Amino acid sequence: MSRINSYIHASQAAEQLIKGFGITTLPIDPFAIACKQKIEVLAKPAHNAGVSGMLIRVGNEFAIAYATHIDNEQFQRFSVSHELGHYFLPGHVDAVIGESGIHESRAGGMSSNRYEIEADHFAASFLMPRHLFFPELKRVGHGLVAIESMAAICNTSLHATAIRYTQCTRELVAIVVSVGNQIDHCFMSESLKAIGGIDWIRKREAVPRNTQTFAFNQNYENVHRAIRTEGTSNLQDWFGGHRCIEISEDVIGLGSYGKTLTVLYDIDVPDAEDEEDEESLIESLTPRFQR
Ligand SMILES: [Zn+2]
């Protein structure tokens, strides 16, 4: 199985479990689900600040410990769900629990380990299963407001919810996470990827200068104090390509996470036929000389 397929598989496995448990409302309670599986869940001050959670095996009994050094309920719910991913996904227990009987997970999505990424996909889909997430999403509007509402409904972090939003929406949207002048990562919805004629924003590229985000990130207080702004920018500034289209750009500081979340939406791309007409019109209006 390719890596991408194994992530989709982990995500689907989580959604199947939620369906199997007969859960039909949000938010999902990973603590209650662990309890039903006879998995003890313990709050534990981590000996190592980088550890977000642990899966512990003693014989055929399992326990989950989640770190309390980050005093954030959403973070802890995600950490417990990540460990449940290791418990439920086929092959994980044997792969991640060594001789010691303890697996330690690290937060931040920085791991390139296949099992860690699968468990993160599992956790996101477990807390935000598509069949429950999508119907709510249709009711909560657009842009950052929609993400904030969904985060409240799912009891998940803004960052995790924003990523899930790009996976579940049918609209043309992208979310960008930046630090200072650098783009850390970007997720685009499937429908935005499909329009063509735009370049992918690559990791570690600079934040484009003509944008709300660039101005916002000039003052670190904005990030730290979780300030939010709403404005517009241009599709071309963010993605290059030939489409000069005004889009909405909402920006919010992610507080102690130290990063900025940008939501790009209201991307009205004319359909292919209109675009052809527009191109020929532009051509007819373009003077036939060049300097
Ligand atoms: Zn892990």
Side-chain angles (χ1 to χ4, degrees):
M1 193 167 17
S2 79
R3 276 205 163 201
I4 294 291
N5 278 340
S6 83
Y7 304 152
I8 293 171
H9 198 262
S11 182
Q12 287 171 345
E15 287 164 349
Q16 286 308 320
L17 277 166
I18 295 297
K19 284 181 188 167
F21 292 136
I23 296 168
T24 55
T25 54
L26 296 169
I28 305 297
D29 185 350
F31 294 86
I33 292 169
C35 184
K36 261 198 189 147
Q37 300 297 312
K38 307 256 184 290
I39 300 169
E40 195 178 349
V41 182
L42 317 149
K44 186 179 182 303
H47 58 88
N48 176 337
V51 175
S52 56
M54 291 182 228
L55 182 64
I56 302 153
R57 179 185 197 169
V58 182
N60 282 325
E61 309 253 304
F62 289 86
I64 288 172
Y66 65 95
T68 51
H69 64 282
I70 297 182
D71 183 22
N72 176 309
E73 192 189 352
Q74 290 78 32
F75 177 81
Q76 293 168 353
R77 285 163 47 78
F78 196 93
S79 298
V80 171
S81 302
H82 173 106
E83 301 310 327
L84 284 173
H86 289 317
Y87 175 81
F88 282 116
L89 290 170
H92 273 236
V93 164
D94 289 337
V96 304
I97 298 185
E99 299 260 299
S100 65
I102 298 174
H103 166 71
E104 289 185 340
S105 300
R106 274 150 224 285
M110 288 299 123
S111 176
S112 57
N113 178 289
R114 185 195 126 185
Y115 293 100
E116 291 311 286
I117 300 172
E118 282 182 17
D120 279 344
H121 279 260
F122 177 98
S125 301
F126 193 75
L127 295 171
M128 297 173 274
R130 188 182 293 265
H131 64 283
L132 302 181
F133 191 89
F134 185 70
E136 295 283 352
L137 187 57
K138 287 199 282 192
R139 291 209 291 258
V140 294
H142 310 276
L144 179 56
V145 168
I147 293 170
E148 287 170 324
S149 299
M150 290 308 301
I153 291 167
C154 299
N155 200 0
T156 42
S157 73
L158 268 191
H159 183 214
T161 312
I163 294 170
R164 193 67 180 137
Y165 166 68
T166 65
Q167 293 169 343
C168 292
T169 183
R170 291 186 186 147
E171 292 177 26
L172 277 59
V173 298
I175 64 120
V176 179
V177 174
S178 58
V179 182
N181 292 343
Q182 294 300 118
I183 291 173
D184 195 76
H185 55 270
C186 166
F187 288 89
M188 293 158 72
S189 66
E190 286 304 319
S191 51
L192 181 58
K193 287 180 201 166
I195 67 169
I198 57 173
D199 301 326
W200 286 71
I201 303 175
R202 278 171 291 273
K203 202 175 152 98
R204 300 285 166 213
E205 258 186 26
V207 174
R209 284 186 165 264
N210 289 334
T211 60
Q212 305 286 331
T213 305
F214 185 86
F216 185 93
N217 281 357
Q218 297 314 299
N219 182 358
Y220 186 73
E221 278 294 293
N222 288 336
V223 180
H224 194 66
R225 291 174 46 219
I227 302 295
R228 80 205 288 302
T229 65
E230 293 175 10
T232 59
S233 59
N234 197 292
L235 186 69
Q236 218 166 28
D237 286 331
W238 279 105
F239 296 98
H242 64 274
R243 290 189 180 82
C244 183
I245 299 171
E246 191 180 79
I247 60 174
S248 294
E249 178 180 348
D250 297 346
V251 187
I252 189 167
L254 293 176
S256 57
Y257 189 44
K259 297 180 181 181
T260 300
L261 172 67
T262 301
V263 188
L264 305 172
Y265 63 107
D266 283 344
I267 302 171
D268 291 322
V269 175
D271 62 42
E273 238 171 72
D274 298 347
E275 202 163 88
E276 238 167 62
D277 293 348
E278 199 178 311
E279 261 171 31
S280 52
L281 181 68
I282 291 166
E283 207 176 351
S284 68
L285 294 173
T286 306
R288 299 271 169 209
F289 56 85
Q290 291 191 322
R291 286 202 280 181

